[in-house]
Amino acid sequence: MKLSHQVLIIGAGPAGLGCALALQAAGVEDVLVVDQKGVGASFEAWPEQMRLLTPSFHSNAFGFADLNSISPETSPADFLNTQHPSGKAYASYLRATAMHYELAVETGVRVTGLRRVRDCFEVQTSQGIKTARFVVWAIGEFSRPDLGGIEGAEFCLHNSQVRDWDQLVVGNQKFTLIGGYESGIDAAINLMHLGKEAHLLSRGHPWESDDPDPSRALSPHTRDRLKTALIEAPGTIHFYKNAEVLAVRPVRGGYELEVRDGKPFHSPTQPILCTGFRSALEPIRELWAWEDDHPVFSEEADESTLTPGLFYSGPSLQHRGMLFCFIYKYRARFGIIAREIAMRLGIETGGGLDLWKRRGFLLEDLSCCTDCQCAVSADEEKAPIQTAEVIEYAQAA
Ligand SMILES: Cc1cc2nc3c(=O)[nH]c(=O)nc-3n(C[C@H](O)[C@H](O)[C@H](O)COP(=O)(O)OP(=O)(O)OC[C@H]3O[C@@H](n4cnc5c(N)ncnc54)[C@H](O)[C@@H]3O)c2cc1C
């Protein structure tokens, strides 16, 4: 079969572009990135008020990379002059990086199917069939909202659909948020800034989690924002813990939420789901092995263990129980994927990836995933967020 490209990368977000840059550094040519929308489209769609919670800082001179950079020699802090970029600003950093390094990107190309044919891949797209020897699947999770298994979720709005909190709240006073992780707390703070009341219902009480892994607990940035919000406008954010929402029904004057072991909760406005996102691997589920409903990645190169030549880059990556959902985490494997593809193509990478390795973009040793030295147990001094408004919902029945 005559191949359209050696490597096809699907998705022009940080994961896809980061892999393209690593492949370029490794000396791999004929790499095409395709995207259904445009470079950084998910970030473009973030609500106006949302900011990256991971801080950007340009300390490259000392050999560290900016936490939010997608390559060792770029820095969003340096380019954008801000520590917590907005989605639109971060998208402009991605576009500038793709342009500066002259990456081949085709936009407006939606991938609708992928199959392995002999030793290469046939990719169905909105612009016809493309073929490649290797595929890097990097479609992200943003376009795949998780509706939390809630019956009647279609009556709610997922927080990824909010473009601007300012526009959403016109005329309304009281809002109900379902989910108490980063997105839920971010939504509550934004509503509070707009002078609104937020009622946040959550299955457990994740805002109090003390897990050392920022993938599983509120980031320090969000904790700081929340503390300030609670001081500035006490009584505007109400937390309901152990309030697992099972169903949502429209009723006269709003919506009724059925809560496990609790009395129904009334929301005068459309409830907002802050229930996260689904795995980016679901659309190609059959090409991947799954264990306990988690996709399995080869430790050597984040490749499918069922479909050789198919790699994954992005926030759905997991190894040894560790989530790689932040940019600074999954970018640690860009160099690994690039080195593996270069090797299989018989390309000598020379020192091309040395800098990638030195700056943490080529992480081979996954023992850090289980041996986290930062996991110092919480002591009594470390108080949970002071949220006087926490209501134990399950007992409220
Ligand atoms: C609200 C929110 C806040 C976050 N905050 C942070 C943070 O502070 N720090 C951090 O490190 N991470 C943060 N994350 C996570 C971070 O945004 C993701 O890790 C990152 O966007 C994932 O990058 P990606 O390239 O995998 O996906 P995306 O950025 O979503 O890029 C995927 C691309 O694939 C395209 N695509 C999708 N389907 C197809 C298809 N079928 N065919 C062709 N193209 C397709 C999309 O248009 C998109 O451009 C946050 C995520 C969310 C949702």
Side-chain angles (χ1 to χ4, degrees), residues 10-17 34-43 46-47 50-55 67-68 90 94 109-112 137-143 159-160 182-183 186 277 280 312-316 324-330:
I10 304 166
L17 297 175
V34 295
D35 197 288
Q36 62 183 1
K37 293 181 179 156
V39 171
S42 299
F43 289 87
W46 277 21
M50 189 173 277
R51 300 286 177 271
L52 263 89
L53 51 91
T54 41
L67 273 194
N68 297 317
Y90 192 74
L94 294 177
V109 181
R110 176 172 168 73
V111 169
T112 51
W137 189 257
I139 68 161
E141 298 176 338
F142 192 76
S143 52
N159 74 303
S160 61
E182 289 287 348
S183 318
D186 179 66
F277 298 87
Y312 172 73
S313 176
S316 300
F324 283 60
C325 63
F326 287 110
I327 294 160
Y328 75 90
K329 290 184 174 186
Y330 63 72

Side-chain angles (χ1 to χ4, degrees), residues 81-119:
N81 290 318
T82 185
Q83 191 177 18
H84 294 281
S86 67
K88 289 197 170 36
Y90 192 74
S92 76
Y93 155 74
L94 294 177
R95 280 195 302 274
T97 304
M99 207 179 293
H100 177 80
Y101 288 96
E102 298 180 358
L103 298 180
V105 183
E106 268 181 33
T107 56
V109 181
R110 176 172 168 73
V111 169
T112 51
L114 171 67
R115 65 185 187 116
R116 196 171 156 83
V117 183
R118 288 184 292 278
D119 59 350

Side-chain angles (χ1 to χ4, degrees), residues 68-315:
N68 297 317
S69 67
I70 59 164
S71 69
E73 290 187 304
T74 62
S75 159
D78 189 39
F79 180 69
L80 301 167
N81 290 318
T82 185
Q83 191 177 18
H84 294 281
S86 67
K88 289 197 170 36
Y90 192 74
S92 76
Y93 155 74
L94 294 177
R95 280 195 302 274
T97 304
M99 207 179 293
H100 177 80
Y101 288 96
E102 298 180 358
L103 298 180
V105 183
E106 268 181 33
T107 56
V109 181
R110 176 172 168 73
V111 169
T112 51
L114 171 67
R115 65 185 187 116
R116 196 171 156 83
V117 183
R118 288 184 292 278
D119 59 350
C120 64
F121 290 91
E122 198 176 87
V123 184
Q124 285 135 34
T125 83
S126 52
Q127 309 294 322
I129 301 260
K130 291 188 186 291
T131 49
R133 186 170 300 181
F134 299 103
V135 166
V136 180
W137 189 257
I139 68 161
E141 298 176 338
F142 192 76
S143 52
R144 312 184 44 71
D146 184 348
L147 303 181
I150 297 171
E151 191 189 322
E154 67 275 17
F155 300 119
C156 305
L157 185 70
H158 192 272
N159 74 303
S160 61
Q161 294 168 297
V162 176
R163 294 288 164 267
D164 187 341
W165 289 101
D166 210 4
Q167 302 294 314
L168 184 81
V169 299
V170 180
N172 293 315
Q173 213 34 53
K174 181 176 163 186
F175 289 83
T176 305
L177 305 166
I178 303 173
Y181 279 102
E182 289 287 348
S183 318
I185 304 289
D186 179 66
I189 297 169
N190 286 322
L191 288 166
M192 169 247 144
H193 281 308
L194 293 163
K196 307 296 169 183
E197 214 180 283
H199 293 258
L200 193 146
L201 283 72
S202 175
R203 187 178 279 145
H205 37 98
W207 54 82
E208 284 172 7
S209 165
D210 186 42
D211 197 300
D213 182 350
S215 308
R216 295 192 162 94
L218 288 188
S219 68
H221 179 59
T222 306
R223 281 176 184 271
D224 282 348
R225 290 177 65 216
L226 184 56
K227 275 183 223 155
T228 310
L230 293 171
I231 292 166
E232 279 177 5
T236 52
I237 305 179
H238 303 261
F239 295 82
Y240 299 82
K241 70 178 186 182
N242 301 327
E244 182 183 355
V245 176
L246 302 174
V248 175
R249 280 179 286 276
V251 291
R252 185 192 289 258
Y255 299 81
E256 185 180 87
L257 280 60
E258 184 186 326
V259 183
R260 188 186 296 283
D261 301 330
K263 63 183 177 190
F265 186 90
H266 180 78
S267 175
T269 48
Q270 187 180 26
I272 299 168
L273 295 175
C274 304
T275 37
F277 298 87
R278 302 208 317 271
S279 170
L281 274 313
E282 276 182 9
I284 49 167
R285 204 179 170 88
E286 70 290 353
L287 299 179
W288 225 271
W290 295 72
E291 265 175 29
D292 299 330
D293 217 27
H294 296 301
V296 178
F297 305 93
S298 80
E299 291 207 348
E300 295 71 35
D302 301 347
E303 188 177 12
S304 164
T305 53
L306 283 187
T307 315
L310 176 59
F311 297 83
Y312 172 73
S313 176

